[in-house]
Amino acid sequence: MSADDTPRRSTAPRWLRELLGCVVAAAIAVAVVAAVSSSARSELVFRDGDSMITTLVVHSLAIGQPQDWAMSSVLFLPEIAVLWVLSQLGLGVNGALALAGAVNVLALYGALRVAAGSSRTVRAPIAGALLALGAFGLLAASEWSPSRDALELASLLVTTTYYSATVVGAVVVVGLARRGLDRRDVSRGTRARAVAVAGLGLVAAASVLTNPLFAAWATVPLGIVLAVIGVRWRTAWWLAGALVTGSVVGYLARLPLADLIANTGAGYIDSSQWHASLDYYGALLADRWGAPWGAASLVAVVLLWGWSLVATVLLARRRDPGALVVAACGWMMPLVVTVGAVVLGTHAARYLQPAVFAPLLGLVVLPTLLPRSLPVMAAPAAIGAAVLAVAAAVGLGIPPLVAAATAPDRDLECVVQWAEGSGRVGGGQFWTVRLPKTHLADPRGLVQVDHQLRGYAWLVNRDDFSADGLSFLVTDAHSPAFELPSGVSMADAAPVPCGRYTIYDFGDRALPIGPLRS
């Protein structure tokens, strides 16, 4: 590295800069979760049937229930581990979910900080990571729809279900690739590159183990970028090899867990449906354009994507391979994932999350491309900025976040209290029963069935179906009409109104649970 490339030293020591960066990132995390939780989007954080899976696992472990889960292709291993730790704080279901959302955002900062490079060799990496996180926060705060199918992708990170660990893992491997390629002095170079190669392989293996979608989000696009620059920088081939090897190891590690995977995800792919897929995503795009702040957020994402492309060209001319990989992934990841989602005929907005988080990588490298004559923030100014961010988060973010997490739900409380007071086992359909089931002291008190009372083994512990039968059913507007066994009708039950829910109590009669399906 030449003297001209050496970053200007800040007046603040390195540890203080890193600490202040984490403090500001934590303030941003609180603000993001508060904004999402105070909007209709809070439905996905606190009440959505899909979002309950991690909490159900934690509760099942807490009561010592035998573990026999029917999961999707995603195992949610990191998300469950984090939520289990947070649940030990005694914050309740909603409090733990809100705190988990903040942890997810803070983890994204950590990943962006890795991608920003070492403060020894890169100019203002903390500023670049915070800039990207701030942009992410604005995108998430602009998303207000309660629908899981809306093209509102940034706010999905606040949930514990919609692949938060995969988002973080995808950014981390880009950062590790940069660390392995950044120019360093000879005494540190070999060791640093070896650590980057090993770390990249381990993160890839862990990420694919918990979610094979990581291969599409990160392994393929980052592998393409590394292969291209490998023509000039041989270290890129070692990194690419570690990425692919780790992904293969992660996939093989899933084989012993096959009993947990009720759906491998292969059924979601049908390339013959690419026309329908294009129409589907086009309709979501049109809906997002017409939503409040939707057009502005889409324009911002397109501008970030374009900047990533421009930054790639500029960094290629500077022959800076580390930053080049980061910038290139900012546009390559969205391109590969979006085109791939259409070509494979998929129909799920959540698959397109790299279209939002990957372009943030263009902001990570922005300080590297700014004129070196720009001043570096001094320690007093940095401390003042951190204090201001924390004060704003505490004063403006925490009150609405606490209010959202503790908001009473009388209808839910009615079902939970009645079910627990009955001392019996009841049931309900997926979108109806999962929220009350999650809030029971013992989730086995409500069994997830379909409209024919067959056990619905999907994102649930199969041990639940060992119950002798169901003595009441919980319904709401999402529940299709039940088809009960011959000689039994809903008219035989005593209805118990609970607001948006209705409990049909069959008393001493036990309705049999039919064969399992998923």
Side-chain angles (χ1 to χ4, degrees):
M1 175 178 292
S2 66
D4 292 338
D5 291 330
T6 303
R8 295 177 59 183
R9 299 184 65 85
S10 168
T11 56
R14 184 181 302 126
W15 68 267
L16 179 59
R17 283 177 279 154
E18 296 292 354
L19 177 61
L20 293 176
C22 291
V23 168
V24 174
I28 293 174
V30 170
V32 169
V33 178
V36 174
S37 299
S38 301
S39 72
R41 201 71 171 157
S42 64
E43 185 72 17
L44 295 186
V45 181
F46 301 124
R47 292 174 289 277
D48 179 67
D50 278 346
S51 298
M52 297 298 103
I53 175 59
T54 50
T55 306
L56 285 172
V57 174
V58 170
H59 284 184
S60 178
L61 292 170
I63 64 173
Q65 183 179 10
Q67 302 300 298
D68 184 16
W69 287 88
M71 306 294 281
S72 68
S73 58
V74 186
L75 300 177
F76 306 108
L77 300 178
E79 293 92 339
I80 291 170
V82 170
L83 189 63
W84 181 84
V85 172
L86 298 179
S87 68
Q88 307 305 307
L89 300 177
L91 300 175
V93 172
N94 287 354
L97 289 172
L99 186 56
V103 170
N104 289 346
V105 178
L106 191 58
L108 177 61
Y109 168 74
L112 292 169
R113 179 63 191 86
V114 174
S118 170
S119 58
R120 295 185 182 89
T121 58
V122 178
R123 185 174 188 268
I126 299 171
L130 288 174
L131 180 63
L133 188 70
F136 163 82
L138 292 176
L139 291 174
S142 73
E143 299 175 353
W144 301 340
S145 170
S147 173
R148 72 188 64 84
D149 297 320
L151 200 64
E152 300 186 357
L153 306 177
S155 55
L156 295 181
L157 184 71
V158 176
T159 73
T160 61
T161 308
Y162 293 111
Y163 316 154
S164 58
T166 309
V167 172
V168 173
V171 178
V172 167
V173 292
V174 173
L176 289 173
R178 175 183 187 157
R179 297 298 180 107
L181 288 164
D182 270 346
R183 292 170 292 178
R184 296 169 180 268
D185 58 274
V186 176
S187 64
R188 287 179 46 83
T190 301
R191 183 180 63 184
R193 287 179 173 86
V195 170
V197 169
L200 196 153
L202 290 173
V203 173
S207 297
V208 173
L209 169 63
T210 191
N211 186 0
L213 192 61
F214 175 88
W217 282 12
T219 304
V220 173
L222 177 57
I224 292 173
V225 172
L226 291 173
V228 171
I229 71 169
V231 174
R232 183 174 183 85
W233 291 283
R234 294 182 179 179
T235 302
W237 289 110
W238 286 99
L239 294 164
L243 177 65
V244 174
T245 301
S247 298
V248 172
V249 169
Y251 183 81
L252 293 176
R254 291 172 60 84
L255 298 181
L257 305 176
D259 289 343
L260 298 177
I261 303 172
N263 188 336
T264 62
Y268 299 142
I269 299 174
D270 184 357
S271 57
S272 67
Q273 295 295 313
W274 71 269
H275 283 288
S277 180
L278 185 62
D279 291 341
Y280 172 79
Y281 290 120
L284 292 184
L285 186 63
D287 290 343
R288 180 60 183 151
W289 183 267
W293 294 101
S297 65
L298 289 175
V299 170
V301 170
V302 170
L303 290 175
L304 288 174
W305 185 89
W307 163 246
S308 296
L309 189 59
V310 171
T312 302
V313 175
L314 296 175
L315 291 166
R317 291 175 178 173
R318 291 191 179 191
R319 299 182 179 180
D320 185 345
L324 171 60
V325 165
V326 176
C329 285
W331 61 268
M332 179 63 76
M333 281 181 167
L335 180 64
V336 169
V337 171
T338 303
V339 172
V342 172
V343 170
L344 295 176
T346 63
H347 292 78
R350 61 186 179 275
Y351 295 159
L352 302 184
Q353 288 183 67
V356 170
F357 72 77
L360 299 174
L361 295 170
L363 295 178
V364 169
V365 300
L366 179 60
T368 300
L369 294 168
L370 291 176
R372 303 196 61 78
S373 58
L374 292 179
V376 176
M377 183 177 291
I383 294 172
V387 171
L388 182 62
V390 171
V394 171
L396 302 177
I398 290 182
L401 179 56
V402 172
T406 59
D409 187 337
R410 303 304 181 192
D411 302 345
L412 173 63
E413 292 171 2
C414 175
V415 174
V416 170
Q417 291 174 3
W418 192 96
E420 291 183 339
S422 73
R424 294 179 274 128
V425 177
Q429 297 177 46
F430 184 91
W431 297 112
T432 301
V433 80
R434 290 179 70 81
L435 181 60
K437 180 179 178 66
T438 303
H439 285 262
L440 290 178
D442 186 341
R444 291 172 292 190
L446 285 171
V447 179
Q448 183 174 292
V449 295
D450 66 7
H451 69 291
Q452 296 178 323
L453 297 189
R454 292 177 296 180
Y456 188 38
W458 181 246
L459 302 183
V460 74
N461 193 336
R462 298 184 185 97
D463 181 68
D464 291 351
F465 304 118
S466 62
D468 293 333
L470 310 177
S471 67
F472 62 90
L473 298 174
V474 181
T475 67
D476 66 0
H478 298 293
S479 304
F482 279 102
E483 296 178 10
L484 301 182
S486 177
V488 184
S489 71
M490 298 296 284
D492 298 329
V496 180
C498 281
R500 67 181 183 274
Y501 297 102
T502 300
I503 301 171
Y504 289 89
D505 182 16
F506 290 87
D508 295 333
R509 174 174 288 179
L511 304 177
I513 301 173
L516 302 190
R517 59 168 290 252
S518 61

